[in-house]
Amino acid sequence: MMTEDAGAPAATRPPGPLAPEVRWLSIGMCALVFLAAFEQLAVTTSMPLVARELGGESLYALAFAGPLAIGVVGTVVAGNWCDRAAVRAPLLVGVGLFVAGLLIAGLAVTMPMLVVGRLVHGIGGGAITVPLYVLVARAYAPAVRPRILAGFAAAWVVPALIGPAIAGIVADTIGWRWVFLGVILLVLPALAVVLPALRGRDAGPEAASAPWNARAIAWSAVAAVTVLALTLSAELPRPASFVVGGLAFAAVLAAIRPLLPAGVLTARRGMPSVVLLRLLIGGAFVGTEVYLPYLLTGHYRLDAAVAGIALTGSGLAWSAASWLQGRAGERLSNEAAFRIGTASLALAIVCSLATTVFAWPAWVAIVGWIFAGSGMGLMFPRTMVAVLADADPAAQGFVSSAVQVVDAVGPALALALTAAITAVVGHGGTTSIVLGFCLTLGIMLAAGALAWSGRTRPASH
């Protein structure tokens, strides 16, 4: 995956991700992606047990939607910061908040305290990812970027293999708190690898002249607050819940519009439609995956470690498909990757929905979720490749942060809407899970229609 390009003259061949000049930078960046992957998979596996122990099942969706929503603020600030200066400072601040949030969550004695920790962690997580994508654009040649992005996906392999199982075993034995606290022990070594390798590679061409975009930062705060309001509206009495939820949903769309390239919400052909596709597939994937462990542990009475097998299979399939798309290069067009990926993810959601509706054996949903990972592995790297190809070098931070905004808002909106549906039919019932899966399937069908419409092709073609 990270070998030099065969057949190219040595004098003109761009250095690969493991070339001596960028080797430690590549390793360190992939290590940070590894941390994000491990944390996400581990927490998703253990959260059903956490919610039951702390008596906070009504806040289950908020524990996932909250970090994603508030992460929009960290994403926009970090993107703006990267356009003004080198990526070192926003990366350090992001890691600090990431650690602080994990510490609060790990020491939580109530579900609201855990949610607060998740919110702090969300800000940090949003601020970490943007500098990494900006570094892809600044430190690697365009021909090499698909391979380093495939390397990011490959960093999910080990967490996918051991993350859910370890999280389940830890939660079932020494306690779920170490699912949060244990991740902290991995942060400092990863950061220690990245920082020395940043020298001379992390500054943008016009960083010093880029102004702070106070308007975008303010809109990001509005987007975060409205997503949280949409999620919490499920706790209000029925008439007020519908009114507040509807207003909050409209406010979210209005707030994220200035944070995205023009034409995203109207599916303008080219890069805007690619960004919209990423929003939809992210919402469909996370909105389903978050509730799979809940279904498997709550209704099939599986241990957390066993339920984590679904996430393990999906993560491995994601990494394998990402590796394949990286090796395929231009032989697999972005459009073909989007079409195959959306069909695969739709099939996986259908398997989860059918298992719940017809009480099929749990293995149907577990095996079916492998198709979700393979679809995402094909699509996610290619969406970033397509976006970076059209990005102005002076706006790499804005474009990278816009991608992170949709990565946060898409799943957060899906989870918030699922929470609202759950509140209507009652917390914890199979019916609420069925309706949630129906919602994510509907989102996925919209993504498939966009992928197959041809609107993701470059506008100049």
Side-chain angles (χ1 to χ4, degrees):
M1 179 177 61
M2 292 188 177
T3 57
E4 299 290 350
D5 292 324
T12 60
R13 185 186 306 154
L18 289 182
E21 55 266 44
V22 292
R23 179 179 300 151
W24 287 108
L25 179 62
S26 299
I27 293 172
M29 291 168 66
C30 288
L32 288 175
V33 175
F34 168 90
L35 284 175
F38 189 94
E39 185 274 340
Q40 178 177 326
L41 290 166
V43 172
T44 301
T45 302
S46 60
M47 189 59 73
L49 179 61
V50 176
R52 293 186 185 106
E53 182 174 321
L54 297 181
E57 292 182 320
S58 64
L59 298 177
Y60 185 84
L62 181 61
F64 289 99
L68 292 169
I70 202 69
V72 173
V73 179
T75 292
V76 173
V77 171
N80 200 175
W81 202 346
C82 287
D83 283 338
R84 287 177 51 84
V87 305
R88 182 182 302 265
L91 184 61
L92 284 172
V93 171
V95 170
L97 290 170
F98 183 86
V99 170
L102 290 173
L103 184 62
I104 295 170
L107 299 177
V109 294
T110 64
M111 193 66 175
M113 182 177 175
L114 183 131
V115 169
V116 169
R118 294 280 288 160
L119 293 177
V120 175
H121 155 264
I123 297 176
I128 289 173
T129 310
V130 172
L132 296 182
Y133 279 125
V134 173
L135 278 170
V136 170
R138 292 180 181 175
Y140 299 89
V144 180
R145 291 171 189 167
R147 286 190 285 154
I148 186 61
L149 291 171
F152 283 6
W156 283 72
V157 170
V158 175
L161 279 170
I162 65 175
I166 289 180
I169 293 170
V170 168
D172 290 334
T173 55
I174 64 175
W176 57 263
R177 298 182 187 280
W178 286 100
V179 174
F180 295 96
L181 300 176
V183 176
I184 297 175
L185 302 177
L186 304 174
V187 171
L188 292 180
L191 190 63
V193 170
V194 170
L195 292 180
L198 290 179
R199 296 189 184 96
R201 297 186 178 90
D202 61 337
E206 301 178 15
S209 63
W212 280 107
N213 192 339
R215 179 171 175 267
I217 295 172
W219 278 117
S220 72
V222 173
V225 170
T226 50
V227 170
L228 293 175
L230 176 59
T231 308
L232 292 172
S233 68
E235 302 299 314
L236 299 174
R238 190 67 54 84
S241 175
F242 293 145
V243 173
V244 173
L247 292 175
F249 182 80
V252 171
L253 298 182
I256 65 171
R257 186 175 181 180
L259 308 178
L260 306 177
V264 170
L265 297 183
T266 55
R268 182 184 300 173
R269 182 175 174 179
M271 182 178 68
S273 283
V274 176
V275 176
L276 177 60
L277 177 68
R278 186 158 173 138
L279 182 150
L280 293 172
I281 63 178
F285 180 85
V286 176
T288 306
E289 184 178 64
V290 161
Y291 280 92
L292 266 182
Y294 193 87
L295 171 69
L296 297 174
T297 60
H299 297 278
Y300 285 89
R301 306 300 180 189
L302 299 178
D303 291 337
V306 177
I309 294 175
L311 308 188
T312 298
S314 176
L316 289 173
W318 186 318
S319 298
S322 182
W323 181 83
L324 287 173
Q325 67 78 31
R327 295 292 295 175
E330 295 182 354
R331 289 173 294 175
L332 176 69
S333 68
N334 293 339
E335 185 180 9
F338 299 155
R339 290 180 174 180
I340 297 170
T342 53
S344 183
L345 181 52
L347 174 62
I349 297 175
V350 168
C351 288
S352 297
L353 178 59
T355 300
T356 310
V357 171
F358 301 112
W360 287 351
W363 65 262
V364 176
I366 293 173
V367 173
W369 200 238
I370 293 175
F371 290 95
S374 61
M376 294 297 281
L378 280 178
M379 292 185 288
F380 244 51
R382 289 307 182 96
T383 57
M384 200 64 205
V385 168
V387 168
L388 287 177
D390 287 343
D392 188 311
Q396 290 166 344
F398 169 74
V399 172
S400 296
S401 69
V403 171
Q404 297 309 301
V405 166
V406 300
D407 283 353
V409 171
L413 279 176
L415 290 168
L417 292 172
T418 300
I421 293 172
T422 300
V424 170
V425 301
H427 295 296
T430 302
T431 302
S432 64
I433 297 178
V434 169
L435 293 176
F437 288 166
C438 286
L439 171 67
T440 56
L441 180 59
I443 295 172
M444 196 59 243
L445 292 177
L450 181 61
W452 286 81
S453 69
R455 300 188 69 81
T456 58
R457 297 171 186 166
S460 58
H461 290 190

